[in-house]
Amino acid sequence: MGDHVQKKRLPQLVALALVPGTASAATLEAPADIAWVCVSAALVFFMQAGFALLEGGMSRAKNSTNVIMKNMADLCFGALAFWAVGFGLMFGLNSSGWFGSSHFLPETLSGGDSVFLLFQAMFAATAATIVSGSVAERMRFGPYVIASVVITAGIYPLYGSWTWGGYFGGQGWLGAMGFIDFAGSTVVHSIGGWCALAGAIVVGPRLGRFGADGSARAIPGHNLPLVALGVFVLWLGWFGFNGGSTLAANADLGFVLVNTHLAGAGGMVGTYLTLTLLNRPVLMTTTVNGAVAGLVAITAGCATMPTGFAILTGLVAGPVMVLGGALLERLRIDDVVGAVPVHAFCGAWGTLAAGLFYKGDLFNLGRAGVQLIGIGAALALAFPAALACFWLLRISIGLRAATLHEQRGLDFTEHDEIGYPEFQKDLLHGGKG
Amino acid sequence: MATLDDKGRAVREALHAGLEHILDAAQAHSALVLWDREYAATRPNALIEYVNDVAAALALPTRQRHEVRMALYRALLARGIDPTQSRSGAPTPPAPRAPVEGTAAFRIFRSVALGVFDGVRRPGASASGAFIAALTRRTPGGGLTDTAQRALETWALQHDDDGYFRRLSPAEYAPLTHLIYVAACEALGPVGADRLFAQAITQAEALPEAAEFPPRRLL
């Protein structure tokens, strides 16, 4: 019976995955759908809190406030930038297939379209906030905000227009090829992850992160319970992220949410098994990041993948994240929270998996090829664009905090306040100036 | 396991490399002969005395004598030999410290700096080498002059050579402390450096001068 139900709903899900814009335009009229997407937008909003806890906890106490400020900036500056430019660029009339050209500074949207804008603004902020964890503890706040605006107003919506574009007419070229990315393994997570990689490269590693012989030195976060709590919050938010992407309150939601949940669980299990097999310590920070890796990976195919393959997708995300993190360390790239392996690498893996494990058409190499084109296009757009953005910021206004600021902590030097004033006396400057 | 003779050979190779880096071949040869004849067997740790003898014998100006000394220290550290340790590998016992003269700011700075220097030496020669290399490589900033940076490097190698710092104003100690922090980060990693600094500050806070010049002003 379960099979029967799944077969019946498959065409609907496939339609959603291939042309989300068209589907959403049709479905966001019913009150129940609008209510569900509003709730989903709130859940995705709450993911910002998850990122703040995860990234704040993974950084040292003296930089925790700065990290949270960056998350807040992503949300606020990102919302304004996406409303002003990003929304039109991503979902406006897309005649060429390369970018939207209407609905900038939208003021007269219908109720359904407004809800859609709200939901998508949360996605844009999510893409941008991935960067903050990667460059934490050494990037100045001002230039970071500028980069965040560039991502939410330019890089993210441009790629989004290729895939999900056409809400107000036309279609993106990747969407037209049949590229599947239901809720944004690539559109949101890989784009954010590639931008994070560019940022981490341009800003350079934290002071003393790597020895002269290239050995990586651990810099433990200041509050690991916050890290775990952040992951729980993110997981909760993911039900809105993936579930809300159906843009409809119907029975299909269950299938999407079950796949999402099990892949997250698979990601944690896959990470645990990988660490055990490699005879490495089973670090809580790595293991909970594995759950996020599984969630990122299933985001592309949660609506179109049989549940067994969803679990497999999550399981494989574990080793992808662990080995990806090791690769970055070998390359002396300092990624404080592991944002690049989790979001960029696992996003790419999940997008490929969405093509390989497509329900009713497993292992279709043509489909996998289209997925690879989409993955490559994301890398080809986001990484060099972000690299150029960060490099321009570095040579113009300066990107990197001074070593003195690293010593004192960016909480104190950038915001003139510290996260834990009663407990942070050891290395605090006696008086500013 | 390296024998004492192996270590003696390694020291001689290091001296050879260091001398050749600064002096011409004939001068370096003369200096090595002096080492073999007067120091190798009986006084292998008297590096400062050796450099002074070399400088006197070759009539080197003060600046070049300084360069020779730094080159020898660097060459030894690059080969994993801590020049402040005896041939047997045991740390040289600290010389009894005379009462320190100078301002309160200097004495606090001296206490913090020596605490960090000692802490950096503890893990071994590779950490000391990385520390000295970082002191040399880092571009001075925040009002720090090239001379001050060189003096700091010398002091880090020979802990009793702190004359330059006695005459500085209180405000000049903070950038020097920061340079020490940066070098400690590169040598030990930021976690080790933070721990070491916290210990050094705590020790300095116990000094009577801390009432006049609180150690946290250095941070």
XYZ file of all heavy atoms in Angstrom, chain B residues 54-143:
656
model
N 85.628 35.595 18.697
C 85.699 35.649 17.224
C 85.730 37.106 16.772
O 86.533 37.505 15.909
C 84.500 34.905 16.590
C 84.410 35.189 15.090
C 84.632 33.409 16.828
N 84.832 37.904 17.349
C 84.752 39.314 16.960
C 86.061 40.034 17.250
O 86.533 40.852 16.433
C 83.603 39.983 17.703
N 86.654 39.700 18.405
C 87.933 40.346 18.756
C 89.040 39.896 17.802
O 89.828 40.716 17.305
C 88.285 40.001 20.192
N 89.069 38.616 17.523
C 90.127 38.078 16.669
C 90.031 38.610 15.247
O 91.046 38.876 14.593
C 90.069 36.561 16.665
N 88.809 38.795 14.769
C 88.626 39.234 13.377
C 88.347 40.729 13.282
O 88.097 41.229 12.187
C 87.457 38.466 12.743
C 87.625 36.939 12.682
C 86.376 36.288 12.097
C 88.837 36.564 11.823
N 88.356 41.399 14.409
C 88.096 42.839 14.463
C 86.766 43.194 13.804
O 86.663 44.109 12.979
C 89.243 43.615 13.804
N 85.743 42.473 14.202
C 84.414 42.717 13.617
C 83.762 43.909 14.307
O 83.866 44.059 15.531
C 83.515 41.486 13.809
C 83.989 40.186 13.168
C 82.997 39.058 13.499
C 84.107 40.338 11.654
N 83.059 44.752 13.552
C 82.308 45.834 14.189
C 81.133 45.264 14.993
O 80.744 44.103 14.801
C 81.811 46.673 13.012
C 81.854 45.769 11.833
C 82.924 44.756 12.092
N 80.575 46.096 15.845
C 79.516 45.638 16.765
C 78.338 45.009 16.014
O 77.826 43.960 16.392
C 79.012 46.835 17.604
O 80.145 47.439 18.205
C 78.042 46.382 18.678
N 77.931 45.678 14.957
C 76.759 45.184 14.213
C 77.006 43.782 13.654
O 76.147 42.899 13.705
C 76.418 46.162 13.090
C 75.149 45.782 12.356
C 74.863 46.740 11.230
N 73.703 46.290 10.474
C 72.451 46.577 10.797
N 72.186 47.324 11.829
N 71.448 46.114 10.071
N 78.234 43.595 13.119
C 78.533 42.291 12.524
C 78.646 41.217 13.620
O 78.285 40.067 13.396
C 79.830 42.363 11.712
C 79.856 41.313 10.618
C 81.026 41.490 9.668
O 81.900 42.346 9.879
N 81.057 40.699 8.622
N 79.137 41.627 14.783
C 79.206 40.670 15.893
C 77.790 40.205 16.255
O 77.550 39.017 16.478
C 79.849 41.338 17.111
C 80.031 40.375 18.267
C 80.776 41.017 19.400
N 80.050 42.161 19.935
C 80.519 43.002 20.840
N 81.745 42.859 21.304
N 79.801 44.006 21.272
N 76.876 41.144 16.262
C 75.482 40.800 16.534
C 74.948 39.834 15.462
O 74.278 38.836 15.771
C 74.646 42.085 16.551
C 73.168 41.830 16.584
N 72.504 41.470 17.724
C 72.243 41.858 15.586
C 71.232 41.292 17.431
N 71.056 41.534 16.147
N 75.275 40.133 14.211
C 74.782 39.283 13.121
C 75.345 37.870 13.222
O 74.644 36.888 12.964
C 75.148 39.907 11.769
C 74.307 41.128 11.446
C 74.794 41.876 10.207
O 75.864 41.500 9.664
O 74.131 42.836 9.822
N 76.634 37.775 13.599
C 77.249 36.449 13.747
C 76.530 35.670 14.840
O 76.186 34.493 14.673
C 78.759 36.583 14.072
C 79.330 35.237 14.529
C 79.513 37.096 12.860
N 76.282 36.340 15.942
C 75.639 35.666 17.068
C 74.247 35.168 16.672
O 73.878 34.019 16.930
C 75.536 36.642 18.238
C 75.107 35.989 19.530
C 75.242 36.965 20.671
N 74.472 38.178 20.420
C 74.733 39.377 20.931
N 75.786 39.539 21.706
N 73.990 40.419 20.656
N 73.489 36.030 15.986
C 72.148 35.620 15.578
C 72.197 34.482 14.574
O 71.381 33.557 14.613
C 71.383 36.803 14.980
C 71.205 37.978 15.912
S 70.557 37.518 17.518
C 68.938 36.986 17.064
N 73.171 34.554 13.664
C 73.289 33.505 12.647
C 73.611 32.160 13.297
O 73.079 31.115 12.900
C 74.371 33.883 11.634
N 74.468 32.183 14.304
C 74.815 30.933 14.983
C 73.593 30.371 15.730
O 73.328 29.169 15.678
C 75.972 31.159 15.969
C 77.308 31.583 15.345
C 78.407 31.572 16.410
C 77.704 30.664 14.199
N 72.871 31.227 16.404
C 71.682 30.756 17.121
C 70.666 30.160 16.150
O 70.095 29.106 16.398
C 71.044 31.911 17.902
C 71.638 32.105 19.280
C 72.366 33.240 19.604
C 71.451 31.143 20.273
C 72.895 33.418 20.860
C 71.986 31.323 21.535
C 72.711 32.456 21.832
O 73.235 32.623 23.078
N 70.467 30.873 15.060
C 69.483 30.388 14.080
C 69.914 29.051 13.510
O 69.098 28.133 13.341
C 69.309 31.394 12.945
C 68.442 32.564 13.346
C 68.007 33.355 12.124
N 67.704 34.716 12.525
C 68.427 35.791 12.215
N 69.504 35.657 11.460
N 68.082 36.974 12.625
N 71.188 28.924 13.186
C 71.684 27.673 12.599
C 71.535 26.523 13.590
O 71.173 25.400 13.208
C 73.150 27.845 12.195
N 71.784 26.791 14.849
C 71.631 25.740 15.860
C 70.161 25.334 16.002
O 69.821 24.147 16.011
C 72.175 26.241 17.211
C 73.702 26.312 17.316
C 74.118 27.180 18.504
C 74.308 24.927 17.446
N 69.299 26.316 16.083
C 67.872 26.015 16.236
C 67.328 25.282 15.020
O 66.490 24.389 15.146
C 67.086 27.311 16.466
C 67.257 27.936 17.851
C 66.640 29.317 17.897
C 66.631 27.049 18.927
N 67.833 25.679 13.845
C 67.363 25.007 12.626
C 67.715 23.531 12.625
O 67.049 22.723 11.969
C 67.962 25.692 11.399
N 68.757 23.154 13.370
C 69.158 21.738 13.448
C 68.609 21.071 14.707
O 69.064 20.007 15.111
C 70.675 21.631 13.406
C 71.222 21.858 12.009
C 72.680 22.235 12.017
N 73.167 22.443 10.656
C 72.918 23.538 9.947
N 72.193 24.511 10.461
N 73.374 23.655 8.706
N 67.676 21.741 15.348
C 67.046 21.143 16.517
C 67.915 21.186 17.754
O 67.701 20.402 18.693
N 68.901 22.057 17.787
C 69.779 22.159 18.961
C 69.433 23.448 19.698
O 69.490 24.541 19.125
C 71.263 22.202 18.534
C 71.608 20.959 17.727
C 72.173 22.331 19.759
C 72.914 21.064 16.967
N 69.057 23.284 20.954
C 68.756 24.463 21.755
C 70.064 25.022 22.307
O 70.723 24.370 23.118
C 67.816 24.073 22.899
C 67.338 25.291 23.689
O 67.979 26.358 23.561
O 66.344 25.172 24.424
N 70.477 26.209 21.880
C 71.767 26.739 22.317
C 71.816 27.042 23.809
O 72.887 27.240 24.358
C 71.929 28.023 21.505
C 70.598 28.342 20.971
C 69.784 27.112 20.968
N 70.674 27.038 24.447
C 70.686 27.328 25.885
C 70.769 26.053 26.715
O 70.729 26.113 27.940
C 69.424 28.090 26.298
O 68.297 27.270 25.985
C 69.315 29.410 25.586
N 70.878 24.894 26.037
C 70.974 23.646 26.780
C 72.404 23.122 26.777
O 73.176 23.372 25.841
C 70.048 22.589 26.174
C 68.591 22.886 26.458
C 67.712 21.696 26.147
O 68.124 20.815 25.407
N 66.534 21.679 26.719
N 72.740 22.347 27.796
C 74.088 21.795 27.882
C 74.243 20.630 26.905
O 73.277 20.152 26.324
C 74.358 21.317 29.300
O 73.551 20.178 29.550
N 75.474 20.140 26.751
C 75.734 19.033 25.827
C 74.921 17.801 26.198
O 74.529 17.016 25.350
C 77.236 18.677 25.854
C 78.117 19.649 25.125
C 78.068 19.426 23.617
N 78.659 18.159 23.219
C 79.941 17.977 22.981
N 80.802 18.960 23.150
N 80.389 16.818 22.563
N 74.682 17.593 27.458
C 73.958 16.393 27.873
C 72.461 16.515 27.601
O 71.726 15.561 27.737
C 74.177 16.159 29.358
O 73.600 17.230 30.082
N 72.025 17.684 27.183
C 70.611 17.867 26.888
C 69.844 18.450 28.060
O 68.695 18.837 27.933
N 70.453 18.499 29.222
C 69.744 19.053 30.379
C 69.729 20.570 30.276
O 70.702 21.177 29.839
C 70.449 18.642 31.656
N 68.623 21.191 30.651
C 68.582 22.643 30.569
C 69.640 23.276 31.466
O 69.910 22.782 32.553
C 67.176 22.993 31.092
C 66.411 21.730 31.047
C 67.382 20.617 31.162
N 70.231 24.321 30.962
C 71.213 25.034 31.767
C 70.502 25.664 32.961
O 69.479 26.328 32.780
C 71.844 26.154 30.928
O 72.290 25.583 29.724
C 73.003 26.803 31.653
N 71.013 25.443 34.173
C 70.320 26.044 35.309
C 70.339 27.554 35.209
O 71.345 28.129 34.791
C 71.119 25.546 36.521
C 72.413 25.058 35.973
C 72.199 24.692 34.567
N 69.225 28.183 35.529
C 69.177 29.636 35.377
C 70.173 30.320 36.308
O 70.341 29.902 37.452
C 67.744 29.992 35.777
C 67.240 28.823 36.537
C 68.004 27.631 36.095
N 70.805 31.317 35.779
C 71.756 32.057 36.594
C 70.981 32.812 37.665
O 69.846 33.243 37.420
C 72.517 33.034 35.724
N 71.552 32.952 38.850
C 70.839 33.711 39.873
C 70.604 35.132 39.383
O 71.526 35.776 38.864
C 71.785 33.678 41.082
C 73.097 33.207 40.567
C 72.858 32.471 39.311
N 69.359 35.533 39.489
C 69.016 36.836 38.907
C 69.273 37.946 39.915
O 68.765 37.915 41.034
C 67.557 36.836 38.451
C 67.396 36.064 37.141
C 65.968 35.947 36.695
N 65.902 35.164 35.467
C 64.786 34.648 34.972
N 63.646 34.809 35.589
N 64.814 33.972 33.848
N 69.999 38.908 39.441
C 70.291 40.057 40.295
C 69.025 40.901 40.412
O 68.132 40.795 39.568
C 71.401 40.871 39.665
N 68.928 41.712 41.432
C 67.764 42.605 41.522
C 67.644 43.425 40.238
O 68.640 43.939 39.732
C 68.106 43.490 42.718
C 69.114 42.731 43.509
C 69.857 41.881 42.543
N 66.430 43.485 39.727
C 66.224 44.123 38.431
C 66.067 45.617 38.609
O 65.291 46.076 39.451
C 64.948 43.551 37.774
C 64.750 44.168 36.401
C 65.055 42.050 37.685
N 66.812 46.338 37.806
C 66.691 47.790 37.842
C 65.783 48.240 36.709
O 65.626 47.540 35.717
C 68.067 48.435 37.691
C 68.951 48.199 38.909
C 70.332 48.795 38.714
O 70.534 49.489 37.713
O 71.183 48.559 39.576
N 65.231 49.410 36.830
C 64.387 49.948 35.769
C 63.035 50.349 36.320
O 62.735 50.168 37.503
N 62.219 50.866 35.407
C 60.897 51.323 35.822
C 60.005 50.137 36.148
O 60.301 48.989 35.788
C 60.241 52.121 34.693
O 60.106 51.230 33.578
C 61.090 53.307 34.278
N 58.875 50.434 36.777
C 57.911 49.366 37.079
C 57.417 48.731 35.786
O 57.265 47.504 35.698
C 56.749 49.953 37.869
N 57.176 49.564 34.780
C 56.690 49.039 33.500
C 57.699 48.054 32.918
O 57.329 46.984 32.420
C 56.437 50.191 32.536
N 58.988 48.423 32.990
C 60.009 47.526 32.450
C 60.028 46.201 33.211
O 60.100 45.126 32.620
C 61.395 48.179 32.516
C 62.493 47.186 32.296
C 62.702 46.623 31.043
C 63.294 46.762 33.354
C 63.695 45.687 30.844
C 64.287 45.820 33.158
C 64.489 45.282 31.901
N 59.939 46.291 34.532
C 60.050 45.065 35.321
C 58.838 44.149 35.082
O 58.970 42.931 35.036
C 60.206 45.414 36.806
C 61.661 45.811 37.109
C 61.838 46.248 38.531
N 61.288 47.589 38.725
C 61.177 48.174 39.895
N 61.534 47.555 40.989
N 60.700 49.407 39.989
N 57.690 44.744 34.892
C 56.508 43.927 34.571
C 56.674 43.305 33.185
O 56.434 42.103 32.986
C 55.221 44.801 34.619
C 54.944 45.214 36.052
C 54.041 44.066 34.014
C 54.553 44.083 36.986
N 57.084 44.127 32.235
C 57.283 43.622 30.874
C 58.320 42.502 30.867
O 58.133 41.457 30.232
C 57.732 44.769 29.971
C 58.217 44.325 28.620
C 57.346 43.743 27.698
C 59.556 44.464 28.259
C 57.796 43.328 26.456
C 60.009 44.050 27.012
C 59.127 43.480 26.113
N 59.387 42.714 31.619
C 60.468 41.724 31.669
C 59.948 40.404 32.238
O 60.250 39.322 31.724
C 61.607 42.284 32.528
C 62.797 41.379 32.651
C 63.866 42.064 33.504
N 65.052 41.228 33.607
C 65.185 40.243 34.464
N 64.204 39.963 35.300
N 66.298 39.533 34.494
N 59.140 40.500 33.266
C 58.597 39.297 33.893
C 57.710 38.519 32.914
O 57.821 37.298 32.781
C 57.790 39.691 35.131
O 57.062 38.607 35.600
N 56.843 39.256 32.217
C 55.947 38.589 31.255
C 56.767 37.975 30.125
O 56.568 36.799 29.755
C 54.908 39.596 30.701
C 54.123 38.991 29.553
C 53.971 40.043 31.808
N 57.697 38.747 29.583
C 58.479 38.258 28.441
C 59.300 37.030 28.828
O 59.297 36.018 28.105
C 59.395 39.374 27.934
N 59.961 37.081 29.975
C 60.776 35.929 30.370
C 59.898 34.711 30.654
O 60.286 33.581 30.357
C 61.628 36.277 31.598
C 62.790 37.240 31.331
C 63.546 37.528 32.628
C 63.754 36.686 30.286
N 58.718 34.948 31.189
C 57.789 33.837 31.405
C 57.431 33.158 30.090
O 57.374 31.926 29.997
N 57.201 33.970 29.074
C 56.860 33.401 27.763
C 58.092 32.728 27.146
O 57.998 31.617 26.602
C 56.296 34.491 26.827
C 56.045 33.930 25.438
C 55.017 35.067 27.401
N 59.246 33.372 27.247
C 60.461 32.764 26.667
C 60.702 31.386 27.284
O 60.999 30.419 26.576
C 61.690 33.645 26.925
C 61.662 34.988 26.234
C 62.494 36.021 26.648
C 60.813 35.226 25.175
C 62.468 37.257 26.025
C 60.770 36.472 24.544
C 61.603 37.482 24.975
N 60.584 31.306 28.595
C 60.785 30.017 29.263
C 59.748 29.003 28.797
O 60.063 27.840 28.551
C 60.687 30.182 30.789
C 61.914 30.895 31.349
O 62.943 30.947 30.646
O 61.838 31.413 32.481
N 58.520 29.445 28.682
C 57.445 28.542 28.259
C 57.642 28.036 26.852
O 57.332 26.878 26.540
N 58.156 28.885 25.987
C 58.375 28.472 24.592
C 59.523 27.473 24.517
O 59.520 26.578 23.666
C 58.646 29.718 23.716
C 59.156 29.310 22.347
C 57.396 30.549 23.581
N 60.485 27.582 25.400
C 61.628 26.658 25.379
C 61.226 25.256 25.824
O 61.841 24.275 25.412
C 62.720 27.161 26.325
C 63.693 28.101 25.667
C 64.729 28.539 26.657
N 65.442 27.389 27.242
C 66.172 27.469 28.356
N 66.269 28.603 28.997
N 66.801 26.414 28.813
N 60.196 25.173 26.641
C 59.848 23.898 27.272
C 59.557 22.785 26.258
O 60.059 21.679 26.416
C 58.643 24.096 28.209
C 58.953 23.666 29.646
C 57.844 24.085 30.584
N 58.005 25.435 31.091
C 57.022 26.304 31.265
N 55.785 25.987 30.965
N 57.254 27.513 31.724
N 58.780 23.027 25.221
C 58.481 21.907 24.306
C 59.689 21.439 23.500
O 59.647 20.366 22.898
C 57.418 22.486 23.369
C 56.924 23.714 24.021
C 58.028 24.222 24.858
N 60.750 22.234 23.386
C 61.942 21.779 22.670
C 62.426 22.782 21.654
O 61.865 23.874 21.496
N 63.476 22.355 20.953
C 64.155 23.283 20.051
C 63.289 23.702 18.872
O 63.415 24.815 18.371
C 65.446 22.657 19.546
N 62.399 22.811 18.422
C 61.616 23.183 17.240
C 60.686 24.345 17.573
O 60.491 25.253 16.751
C 60.837 21.988 16.713
O 59.864 21.618 17.644
N 60.105 24.319 18.785
C 59.240 25.440 19.178
C 60.065 26.714 19.330
O 59.642 27.793 18.895
C 58.509 25.114 20.475
N 61.255 26.579 19.943
C 62.116 27.763 20.092
C 62.476 28.328 18.728
O 62.458 29.551 18.521
C 63.412 27.395 20.820
O 63.137 26.960 22.116
N 62.811 27.423 17.805
C 63.182 27.863 16.452
C 62.040 28.586 15.768
O 62.227 29.647 15.149
N 60.830 28.024 15.897
C 59.663 28.661 15.266
C 59.394 30.021 15.904
O 59.001 30.975 15.218
C 58.446 27.754 15.412
N 59.614 30.102 17.205
C 59.383 31.354 17.924
C 60.350 32.436 17.441
O 59.933 33.546 17.093
C 59.575 31.094 19.429
C 59.326 32.288 20.298
C 58.045 32.753 20.527
C 60.382 32.943 20.912
C 57.814 33.858 21.342
C 60.163 34.045 21.721
C 58.876 34.503 21.937
N 61.627 32.084 17.375
C 62.621 33.059 16.925
C 62.366 33.443 15.463
O 62.434 34.622 15.085
C 64.047 32.485 17.075
C 64.345 32.179 18.549
C 65.095 33.447 16.505
C 64.339 33.374 19.469
N 62.041 32.432 14.658
C 61.783 32.722 13.241
C 60.607 33.676 13.092
O 60.631 34.589 12.263
C 61.509 31.420 12.497
N 59.574 33.480 13.906
C 58.399 34.352 13.818
C 58.732 35.769 14.275
O 58.259 36.744 13.681
C 57.262 33.791 14.663
N 59.548 35.873 15.307
C 59.969 37.213 15.759
C 60.689 37.951 14.641
O 60.544 39.157 14.468
C 60.913 37.093 16.956
C 60.316 36.822 18.330
C 61.426 36.755 19.371
C 59.317 37.893 18.721
N 61.482 37.212 13.881
C 62.267 37.819 12.814
C 61.406 38.139 11.598
O 61.548 39.187 10.976
C 63.379 36.840 12.369
O 63.972 36.284 13.541
C 64.415 37.524 11.520
N 60.491 37.210 11.294
C 59.743 37.323 10.035
C 58.642 38.376 10.101
O 58.354 39.044 9.110
C 59.130 35.955 9.724
C 58.545 35.837 8.337
C 58.051 34.437 8.048
N 57.045 34.002 8.972
C 57.223 33.057 9.892
N 58.381 32.462 10.006
N 56.239 32.695 10.701
N 58.008 38.485 11.237
C 56.862 39.388 11.346
C 57.272 40.837 11.106
O 58.255 41.313 11.668
C 56.249 39.270 12.736
C 55.406 38.035 12.893
C 54.018 38.270 12.364
N 53.303 37.012 12.173
C 52.080 36.932 11.667
N 51.454 38.017 11.292
N 51.495 35.788 11.505
N 56.496 41.502 10.281
C 56.797 42.900 10.010
C 56.439 43.732 11.235
O 55.342 43.605 11.764
C 55.948 43.402 8.832
O 56.082 42.444 7.793
C 56.395 44.760 8.366
N 57.367 44.553 11.684
C 57.029 45.382 12.837
C 55.870 46.328 12.497
O 55.750 46.790 11.379
C 58.297 46.179 13.106
C 59.362 45.579 12.275
C 58.708 44.828 11.170
N 55.047 46.556 13.447
C 53.914 47.464 13.236
C 53.539 48.074 14.561
O 54.145 47.767 15.586
N 52.567 48.935 14.555
C 52.078 49.534 15.794
C 53.160 50.304 16.532
O 53.241 50.230 17.758
N 54.022 50.976 15.795
C 55.051 51.780 16.433
C 56.318 51.012 16.770
O 57.227 51.557 17.394
